[in-house]
Each structure stands twice: as C-alpha cells, then as structure tokens.
Amino acid sequence: MDILSLIPQFGGLLYTVAAFIVALSIIVFVHEFGHYIVGRWSGIHAEVFSIGFGPVLISRRDRRGTRWQVAALPFGGYVKFLGDADAASGRDAEAMAAAAQDPARLRRTMHGAPLWARAATVAAGPMFNFAMSIVVFAAIFMLRGVVAEPLTVGAINPLPEAGAYELRAGDEILAIAGERVPDAEDPAGWSDFLPAIPINDVLDYDVRRDGSRITVSGPYPMPPLIAQVAPRSAAMDSGLRPGDVIVAADGEPITAFEQLRDMVEASDGAPLLIEVWRRGEVQDFTLTPRRTDEPAAGGGFSNQWRIGIAGEMAFTPATRTAGPVEALGSAFAQTGAVITGSLSGLWHMLTGAISSCNMSGPIGIAEASGAMASQGTQSFIWFIAVLSTAIGLLNLFPIPALDGGHLLFYAYEAVAGRPLSDRVLRLFMAFGISLILGLMIFALSNDLFC
C-alpha cells in the first residue's frame, strides 16, 4: 500500500476530530458556565471548573479560589462545588462534616445551600444550552435576513445553462409559466404553486424590471441543485458537494428536484448512476439510497429511500434584514422544533416505530461535526446550536447523575421536607451512571454497526 494515499484520509480524520472537539467544548463550556455563574450568584462556591476529564493540561486559580482547568480528555466537563465528592456532585461526607462547624461555610457548600439555590444552580446548565441556541439561531436569522416581498431575484445560482436565461438580479417575479407567485410566508401556497408549473428547462417568467412588466426566460425554479449534504448519507459518502447540479440519473435527464426524489424513492435501494455538473464539468457518481426515518407532515415519522441532499431554488431570493424581535421569535420556534423533534424521535424509537439506529453516539456526532464544518462556518455554527439544544434536553431527563435526576431529588425533598438518605442517593447514582454507560455503549454500537 502506498502510504501517501493515506494522507488525505488522515487529514480528514484530524479535521473531523478537531471539529468535534471544538463543537463539544463550546457546548460543554456554556453548560458548565451556567452551573457556575448561577451557583456563584446563589452563594455556592465552585472549587473547580473543568473542560475535559483526566490529567490536567492547563489550570489557573482565580481570585475567588476557583481553579479553571483544561483536561486531556475533551469529552465533557464539570463544575465541582464546595462539599462535592466528585464531578457528579456526590456528597463528600468528610467535607460536609467539617463545614457543619461553620454556618457561613456550610451555606457556601452545594449540599448546605437552600433548596432554591441548589435547584437553580442545577437547572442553569440546560437553560444556558437553550439560551445559547436561541442567541445563535437569532443571530443567523438576522445575518441571513428573510425573503423580501415581492419575491425578487438576488442572484442566479450557477447552473449548466445559467448564461442562456434572460432572468437577472433585481427582477421582481410576478408569475412563472402563467402561475402567480405566492407570498414567501405562505407554505400552503407554495405547495400548490410548484406542482402546477410544467417541468421544462426554460420557462416564461413575468417580472417587473425598472418599473415595467415584461416576460423573460428563466430556469425551472427548483432544479436538482444541492444546497446541503447530510452527514453520514449516501451523498456524503459518494463525494457530492453543495453547489453540484444533478443533470441525469441512470441515463434519464433530470430537470426538477422532485424528479430526482421520485427516482430515488422508486429505486428500492438499488444503486443509481448519476451525472453531476460541477463548475462546468460533468462527473459520474454511483450511490446507493438508504432507508431514512424522517418527520412526516401530519406528525410521526415516515420511512423513505433517501440519498441525503437538500435542494434550493435556481436563484437566491433578495432578503430584508430581520429585526431582533422577529429573529428571536424564529429562534424560539427553531429551538422548540429541535426539542419536539428529539422527543418525538426518542418516543418512536422506544415504541419501535422507527429504527434505533437513529440514535448516534460519539463517532456519529464527530462525523456530523466534520461534515457540517466542511460545508461552511454558518452551517457548523448552526449545527453547534442544534447540538446544544439536544444536550440541554438530554441533561433534563430524570436520570440520576444527570441534571434532571438531581432536580427530581430536589422535588422529592421539597415534597417530603427532607432529602434522600446518603445510602439511597448512592444507590440511585450508581444506577444512573450504569444506565448512562449502557446508553453510551448502545449508541457507540449504532455508530459502528448500523
């Protein structure tokens, strides 16, 4: 074997690992900082703030006595508060016995603080994850803008025959092939509009240009132009990239994205030979569609053959700047969609409605990190925001050793008027850690064998 042939693969592996570490470190820092800062505001002293586990690489103690450190294993992090025995906030009996002699010191421990302070400190980690996602989504929505009304051409995307069209930037599109263009905020109108347009390489566009209404030639509005490639998909494994245009599949010309989708769905998993236009050159690729569980319009999931690409319009619509309130509203909606989609997917996996292979482990998340980073900074940041919401949600599950488990214990304490005994708490924590390790092994096996 030529060792030089391994260099690109090795470089790709390093890129994937680096993207994974960056994504996870940002999310972990935000999560743990939520615990730290709310704990500090609540009067609880943090002894250690660590990004990563294992041998300490870098550390510094601040003026409040907290040691900030970066450890060698970048697969999580923790805040160790005064009175904690470990990173999971187990009770240090010896430290708590010593603190009991000094009421002021006892109040600064995690286990001696009032119930409200402990609950707020624990809940702050996931809440900061959600807040980070909302801020990131809002910033991206403001940066992208929203489609201007009326629909106006911002730029013509690179297509095989782009130079032959008369449509140009600045044109206000009134109708395509005689069909009136619906408002950008009318999804139902667009679902009726696109099927009514004939699938031709060249269509008549009624546009307003320089104040006059004219008819010009333009492309089919939804060509097989790749906007995004899904991680761990047939398209990603085959080497397809955003910006590629699929011009034929198994020898049949493709004009519309829906034609490609129909051919993939009808393939029944058989390999497809596709011709791709990439920057003026036509290249051949062979890929095999894969069964994919995806959210259905009426709720639940449907199982379809997919190659893992998302399309975009033949032209980039002109946009207007989204205001802060509008962007925040969209960001809250996006975060809520991630949460509801995650819960729905988990429920359907538990009931057997969809495959448990939809649960990814560290290898799958790392591959997704590298794939999204390779598609641009904005895609990578969006992925981090989605992952931050997912991790925040996971930590709220009522499993001992997770934040949700601690909140469950605090709820019991609030109702019963007393905390769980140390013995019972240790049993619950051991069970929780075993369950988490089991889930991690299961997810890792999915990465390796699904």
Side-chain angles (χ1 to χ4, degrees), residues 43 63 116 151 153 159 164 182 188 220 228 230 235 237 242 248 287 311 351 378-379 385 415 432 434 445:
R63 59 186 178 85
W116 68 265
L151 182 63
V153 178
L159 295 170
Y220 184 79
Q228 195 170 55
D237 292 345
L287 48 77
T351 58
Q378 191 174 114
S379 295
V415 173
S434 299
S445 69

Side-chain angles (χ1 to χ4, degrees), residues 64-369:
R64 292 185 177 83
T66 301
R67 186 172 78 247
W68 299 73
Q69 65 185 37
V70 176
L73 302 176
F75 302 114
Y78 62 92
V79 176
K80 180 178 179 297
F81 290 102
L82 186 63
D84 287 346
D86 47 43
S89 288
R91 183 186 180 95
D92 186 335
E94 185 177 336
M96 291 303 298
Q101 308 304 315
D102 181 355
R105 181 175 176 80
L106 181 64
R107 172 60 181 81
R108 298 179 70 219
T109 66
M110 183 62 167
H111 305 278
L115 181 59
W116 68 265
R118 286 177 277 147
T121 299
V122 168
M127 293 304 107
F128 267 56
N129 280 133
F130 297 148
M132 170 191 162
S133 298
I134 291 167
V135 169
V136 169
F137 288 142
I140 292 177
F141 286 136
M142 292 183 70
L143 182 65
R144 286 180 181 173
V146 295
V147 176
E149 294 285 2
L151 182 63
T152 303
V153 178
I156 304 293
N157 286 320
L159 295 170
E161 303 296 332
Y165 304 126
E166 297 170 334
L167 188 70
R168 69 188 191 192
D171 287 346
E172 295 179 8
I173 302 176
L174 308 175
I176 302 176
E179 298 290 334
R180 187 185 67 82
V181 175
D183 293 338
E185 302 297 327
D186 181 13
W190 278 94
S191 65
D192 295 333
F193 169 72
L194 288 173
I197 298 175
I199 298 177
N200 293 320
D201 292 327
V202 181
L203 296 170
D204 287 337
Y205 279 65
D206 294 333
V207 303
R208 184 176 289 109
R209 179 184 295 174
D210 300 328
S212 300
R213 179 166 180 156
I214 61 174
T215 300
V216 298
S217 63
Y220 184 79
M222 286 298 297
L225 169 63
I226 298 177
Q228 195 170 55
V229 180
R232 312 191 80 196
S233 64
M236 175 67 70
D237 292 345
S238 299
L240 295 184
R241 306 173 189 168
D244 288 348
V245 182
I246 298 175
V247 295
D250 283 346
E252 295 186 25
I254 300 290
T255 298
F257 193 89
E258 62 190 88
Q259 290 178 310
L260 175 65
R261 183 191 61 221
D262 292 343
M263 290 192 68
V264 170
E265 290 180 353
S267 69
D268 200 28
L272 291 173
L273 175 63
I274 62 173
E275 295 178 30
V276 172
W277 181 88
R278 176 181 291 173
R279 298 179 182 177
E281 296 182 358
V282 176
Q283 303 179 24
D284 292 333
F285 294 83
T286 299
L287 48 77
T288 303
R290 300 173 183 173
R291 281 287 191 184
T292 304
D293 296 307
E294 56 185 34
F301 285 77
S302 62
N303 193 265
Q304 303 287 350
W305 292 106
R306 292 289 184 257
I307 59 174
I309 61 173
E312 63 178 318
M313 298 183 74
F315 56 87
T316 302
T319 59
R320 61 173 176 81
T321 303
V325 174
E326 184 179 15
L328 277 173
S330 298
F332 272 99
Q334 180 63 44
T335 304
V338 174
I339 292 173
T340 55
S342 299
L343 291 175
S344 176
L346 179 61
W347 171 251
H348 282 82
M349 277 189 282
L350 290 174
T351 58
I354 62 175
S355 170
S356 60
C357 285
N358 286 281
M359 179 182 290
S360 293
I363 296 176
I365 296 173
E367 289 182 348
S369 300

Side-chain angles (χ1 to χ4, degrees), residues 23 27 231 365 368-369 372 378-388:
I27 294 168
I365 296 173
S369 300
M372 298 308 290
Q378 191 174 114
S379 295
F380 183 51
I381 293 174
W382 182 276
F383 172 77
I384 291 175
V386 171
L387 190 59
S388 179

